[in-house]
Amino acid sequence: MKSFWFLLLFFIAGLQTRAQNQASKPPAAKVYHPEANAKQELDQAKKKAAKEKKHIIVFIGGNWCPWCMRLDRFMKENDSLHTLLEEYEVVHINYSKENKNEAVLNALQRPQRFGFPVIVILNQKGQQIMTQNTSFLEEGKGYNTEKVAAFLKSWTYNIINK
């Protein structure tokens, strides 16, 4: 019976330590915002893209999606990809149980049918020119730098409007 109480006490202490460790970790940065107005963000991106002669790259996914978060981290941590992203106006559109952004995604020809994350390229007028199923950019448990770079280079304003 003593061993039972010892194990129970050990188990409770372990749970308490785990809870304290989790509480001390900084919260993960939100990439997708369910409360955001996706239509308004796209309208602002169109204005800025037209002024700066850029295309718009739209990442669609959610904070619940490990591959969405992995792609965002991959783009931010890779200097060459981060530089290529500067050729675009970047918008993140949330898809989650809190906000599926159905009206906006319907206007973008329902890109969620490809799974998440999915990327949509719009020209500076907001016209859709490409939808990319990101599974073709994957490699192992991550993304392939050369494939992602080739994709980003292929759809810039300067390449399309030469």
Side-chain angles (χ1 to χ4, degrees):
M1 186 69 166
K2 285 183 181 181
S3 60
F4 169 76
W5 289 111
F6 176 76
L7 287 173
L8 182 62
L9 183 61
F10 184 76
F11 177 74
I12 290 170
L15 287 177
Q16 193 171 25
T17 302
R18 183 173 179 219
Q20 287 172 347
N21 287 341
Q22 287 179 340
S24 66
K25 289 181 183 177
K30 283 175 62 175
V31 175
Y32 297 92
H33 299 276
E35 72 284 355
N37 183 328
K39 183 179 180 333
Q40 188 176 42
E41 288 187 0
L42 283 174
D43 288 343
Q44 290 170 351
K46 286 181 218 174
K47 288 177 187 172
K48 198 169 178 185
K51 187 192 312 186
E52 297 181 14
K53 295 191 178 190
K54 291 182 174 184
H55 283 163
I56 303 161
I57 188 166
V58 183
F59 294 94
I60 303 163
N63 298 314
W64 54 267
C65 167
W67 281 95
C68 301
M69 303 310 286
R70 195 172 293 158
L71 179 60
D72 184 71
R73 205 170 33 255
F74 181 74
M75 295 283 204
K76 287 177 180 170
E77 292 174 356
N78 185 310
D79 289 339
S80 63
L81 296 179
H82 190 72
T83 300
L84 287 170
L85 271 180
E86 291 174 359
E87 297 291 319
Y88 295 90
E89 284 306 312
V90 178
V91 176
H92 289 84
I93 293 181
N94 179 75
Y95 183 94
S96 68
K97 63 183 178 182
E98 297 86 8
N99 186 356
K100 293 183 179 179
N101 281 303
E102 290 173 328
V104 170
L105 296 182
N106 285 341
L108 295 174
Q109 301 174 8
R110 301 190 71 250
Q112 68 270 31
R113 70 187 186 277
F114 296 111
F116 299 101
V118 61
I119 300 171
V120 175
I121 305 291
L122 308 173
N123 67 15
Q124 70 281 7
K125 295 176 185 174
Q127 298 164 326
Q128 188 169 345
I129 55 177
M130 173 61 173
T131 299
Q132 178 64 50
N133 177 336
T134 58
S135 67
F136 297 112
L137 305 176
E138 294 174 9
E139 181 177 73
K141 294 185 181 208
Y143 291 92
N144 179 289
T145 302
E146 290 78 22
K147 289 179 184 178
V148 173
F151 170 74
L152 292 173
K153 288 176 187 175
S154 296
W155 298 101
T156 65
Y157 177 90
N158 292 328
I159 292 293
I160 301 294
N161 295 297
K162 276 190 173 181

